[in-house]
């Protein structure tokens, strides 16, 4: 999927707000914390603790299966750490009290996002990254997405880069059909305007017209 800067911004919003909600007041047994409250939201944590709080090196997994691996302090991401997304992309960054201060985002196919001098899929360079790496197909053969062959999209839905979007319910599910998020009006408009849609109507020439 050819992702725009807005699509990257969606990922960055996840990055910038990645503060663990259960850093404090957890009961401790032999240096290991009983994280019963996490079961209610589907999160999990494996790693070091200090005074009953997540601190040191650890692995925090969100309900969406996004995973943080790195340093924790006082129950928050703090220091060097990497967010691994279910799509295969990742964000390697330096964190301060749960907020990403700097880092780099790498797509699943190895393409690194750059805020400056971004030349992929802009107004001048329209090739997919796999076409940049592997070359263009012969004349007459079209490559519809960065992934070749492309995913099969459920009828009436959209492939928005990290999952399938169901416009009737405003829900995005990952490619294994697990819930990811609800969309707001801006993301809904962007997906409908720019993303590839599963066929639910006849397009092109219609006999008798």
């Amino acid at each position: 999927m050819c992702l725009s800067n807005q699509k990257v911004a969606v990922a960055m919003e996840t990055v910038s707000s990645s503060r663990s909600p259960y850093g404090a007041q957890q009961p401790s047994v032999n240096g290991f914390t009983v994280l019963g409250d996490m079961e209610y939201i589907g999160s999990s944590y494996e790693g070091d603790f200090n005074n009953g709080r997540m601190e040191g090196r650890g692995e925090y997994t969100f309900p969406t299966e996004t995973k943080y691996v790195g340093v924790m302090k006082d129950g928050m991401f703090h220091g060097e750490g990497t967010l691994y997304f279910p799509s295969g992309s990742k964000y390697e960054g330096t964190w301060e009290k749960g907020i990403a201060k700097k880092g780099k985002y790498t797509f699943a196919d190895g393409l690194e996002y750059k805020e400056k001098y971004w030349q992929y899929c802009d107004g001048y360079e329209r090739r997919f990254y796999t076409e940049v790496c592997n070359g263009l197909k012969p004349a007459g053969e079209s490559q519809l997405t960065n992934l070749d062959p492309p995913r099969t999209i459920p009828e009436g839905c959209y492939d928005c880069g990290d999952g399938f979007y169901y416009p009737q319910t405003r829900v995005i599910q990952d490619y294994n059909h697990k819930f990811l998020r609800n969309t707001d009006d801006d993301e809904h408009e962007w997906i409908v305007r720019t993303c590839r849609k599963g066929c639910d109507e006849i397009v092109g020439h219609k006999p008798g017209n």
Side-chain angles (χ1 to χ4, degrees), residues 46-102:
E46 295 182 4
D48 300 329
F49 295 91
N50 184 26
N51 295 324
R53 301 170 76 90
M54 295 181 285
E55 188 158 315
R57 292 203 61 84
E59 184 176 296
Y60 187 96
T61 304
F62 291 88
T64 59
E65 297 184 4
T66 295
K67 182 181 298 183
Y68 171 83
V69 179
V71 182
M72 306 282 290
K73 184 177 181 180
D74 198 24
M76 295 177 284
F77 305 167
H78 191 88
E80 301 295 322
T82 302
L83 276 175
Y84 295 94
F85 297 95
S87 64
S89 60
K90 64 181 179 179
Y91 179 84
E92 302 167 273
T94 301
W95 307 78
E96 184 177 322
K97 296 182 179 180
I99 298 174
K101 292 299 184 178
K102 63 179 181 179

Side-chain angles (χ1 to χ4, degrees), residues 156-186:
C157 298
Y158 295 83
D159 185 343
C160 58
D162 58 352
F164 297 125
Y165 177 54
Y166 294 75
Q168 291 82 7
T169 58
R170 295 285 188 98
V171 168
I172 295 176
Q173 297 181 354
D174 68 17
Y175 296 121
N176 294 317
H177 302 289
K178 295 182 180 179
F179 175 83
L180 280 182
R181 64 184 179 276
N182 297 104
T183 62
D184 59 18
D185 290 341
D186 289 340

Side-chain angles (χ1 to χ4, degrees), residues 3-39:
L3 300 182
S4 73
N5 287 0
Q6 180 172 350
K7 205 53 201 146
V8 174
V10 172
M12 291 302 123
E13 183 178 355
T14 301
V15 168
S16 64
S17 61
S18 297
R19 172 170 175 164
S20 167
Y22 288 100
Q25 308 301 324
Q26 298 293 334
S28 179
V29 179
N30 295 327
F32 293 93
T33 296
V34 181
L35 301 175
D37 289 344
M38 286 190 179
E39 295 178 0

